[in-house]
Structure formats: C-alpha cells, structure tokens
Amino acid sequence: MGAILGYARVSTSDQDVAGQTMRLTGAGAIKVFGDVRSGRTMERPALVALLAYAREGDALAVVRLDRLGQLLTTVAMLKERGIALLSLEERIDTSSAAGELVFHVFGAIAHFERRLIAERTKDGIAAARAKGKHPGRRPLDADKIADALSLVKAGLSPTAAAKQLGLGRSTVYREVNRAGIERYPAGAGSLETAVGFASGELDA
C-alpha cells in the first residue's frame, strides 16, 4: 500500500476535527484533510483536495463511513482510481482480499439504487399519463412555428419573431435553419420597426 491519507469532517464550526485527526494519524495517516461541512451539502473542498493529492496505491482513511457523504459515488471513484478505503469504526480495509468484497457490495447497491430510480420514474410517467398528463417537453405549436417562419421570410429577425409569438429564441433559430431560410433578407429593419410599433414595444 502507498500513503494513507486521512479525511475528517464535522458538521458545524462549533465542532472540532482534532479528535478525528488524532485517530487518523494514529492509524498511520501521513496527512489529514479536514472539512467543516454539513452532511446535507455536496461541497467537500478538503475531500476534493485529498483526491487530487492521492495517487494510485494510496488509501483514503476515515473514522466512520458517514464522514464521506455521497458514499456510493465516492467508493466507485476510489475503486476506479485504484485507491483503497479504510474506515476505523467499521474496520473496513479494501486493500485486503476480504476488503475487496466491500467494493463489490457498494457497487451492487449503487446499481440497485439506479434501477429503483429508473423504475420509480417510469411508474411516475405511467401514473401521469393515466391522469391525462404528458410529462416531458410540451410539443411545439405547429401554427406558431409556421407564423414565425413567415415573419422571418418577410424580413423579421428570428429573435423578434420569437418575441412576437411567445416562442423560445433558440426554437425559432433551429426551425429557421431547418427550413433553410435566409435570416436577414433586405428590408428586415423596416418590418421589425413596424412590428414593434404594432405591438406597442416602440413609441410613436
């Protein structure tokens, strides 16, 4: 095994990582990275720094697994990078033959969790459709798209046409490109001004 790198985390500034640091150092950690972050937040600057410092063959050590947060994601990343995981409380050492099983267990749990999420999503969509709802993006209004293309053909810019019809600017640009329409024919300025006056966007 390479170097042992410790990671300590407490939830509030009222707490101190000194106790965890002492235990990690006693377990052989040559360097300890500490975060003061709630378990609910995704930000772990010290953990990010540790992972940037670590090399293949090193080990990440924690006092307890719950110090890591996002456990399944972190464990998968450690395995991919060839970094072992040590947990003092749970007595886990994935650098050993028996400890290797832990990586496989966590991987299986992560796979199971992904399948559950996918199944819940499908169930939710099916339930919504049964109630007459249609999850996902709303279908484009064909009439509005046709009107937008007509305005662009007549000389209005795609941006102004989108604003006039209440469509997304990127939607109109995409449809204009798909239709192969030249974006800025002669006289665009005068038509755009006229439409502005008609809609009340410009003062007379």
Side-chain angles (χ1 to χ4, degrees):
M1 186 191 296
I4 297 176
L5 305 172
Y7 176 67
R9 180 179 66 81
V10 292
S11 299
T12 68
S13 56
D14 294 334
Q15 298 172 306
D16 191 352
V17 297
Q20 294 179 47
T21 299
M22 186 182 304
R23 292 188 63 183
L24 292 167
T25 303
I30 63 168
K31 188 176 178 68
V32 177
F33 298 76
D35 268 329
V36 180
R37 287 288 190 280
S38 166
R40 296 178 180 177
T41 181
M42 300 286 286
E43 295 181 0
R44 300 280 195 279
L47 180 58
V48 171
L50 184 155
L51 295 172
Y53 183 89
R55 297 293 179 266
E56 184 176 357
D58 288 347
L60 187 161
V62 290
V63 172
R64 294 189 308 276
L65 288 175
D66 65 357
R67 296 302 84 196
L68 282 175
Q70 296 297 306
L71 183 59
L72 297 178
T73 302
T74 304
V75 167
M77 184 274 301
L78 292 175
K79 180 174 175 58
E80 185 177 334
R81 289 188 52 189
I83 300 171
L85 173 63
L86 307 177
S87 176
L88 306 186
E89 289 284 346
E90 289 85 2
R91 296 185 180 180
I92 291 172
D93 178 1
T94 62
S95 65
S96 67
E100 175 69 16
L101 179 62
V102 173
F103 272 144
H104 294 297
V105 170
F106 281 131
I109 293 172
H111 177 68
F112 178 67
E113 192 175 62
R114 286 192 297 270
R115 287 192 59 183
L116 279 181
I117 292 171
E119 288 175 6
R120 286 170 186 159
T121 301
K122 288 179 182 177
D123 290 344
I125 291 173
R129 284 177 177 164
K131 294 178 181 178
K133 298 178 181 179
H134 300 280
R137 292 185 178 182
R138 290 183 177 180
L140 293 176
D141 187 320
D143 291 337
K144 279 192 175 185
I145 292 296
D147 290 342
L149 295 180
S150 296
L151 288 173
V152 174
K153 285 178 183 177
L156 200 65
S157 73
T159 298
K163 191 171 185 180
Q164 184 69 20
L165 295 168
L167 292 169
R169 190 166 68 96
S170 60
T171 297
V172 175
Y173 270 100
R174 183 179 65 248
E175 295 302 321
V176 166
N177 288 333
R178 187 176 294 170
I181 299 172
E182 185 179 348
R183 292 184 184 177
Y184 303 107
S190 59
L191 178 58
E192 207 160 310
T193 301
V195 172
F197 279 122
S199 62
E201 293 177 2
L202 298 176
D203 296 326

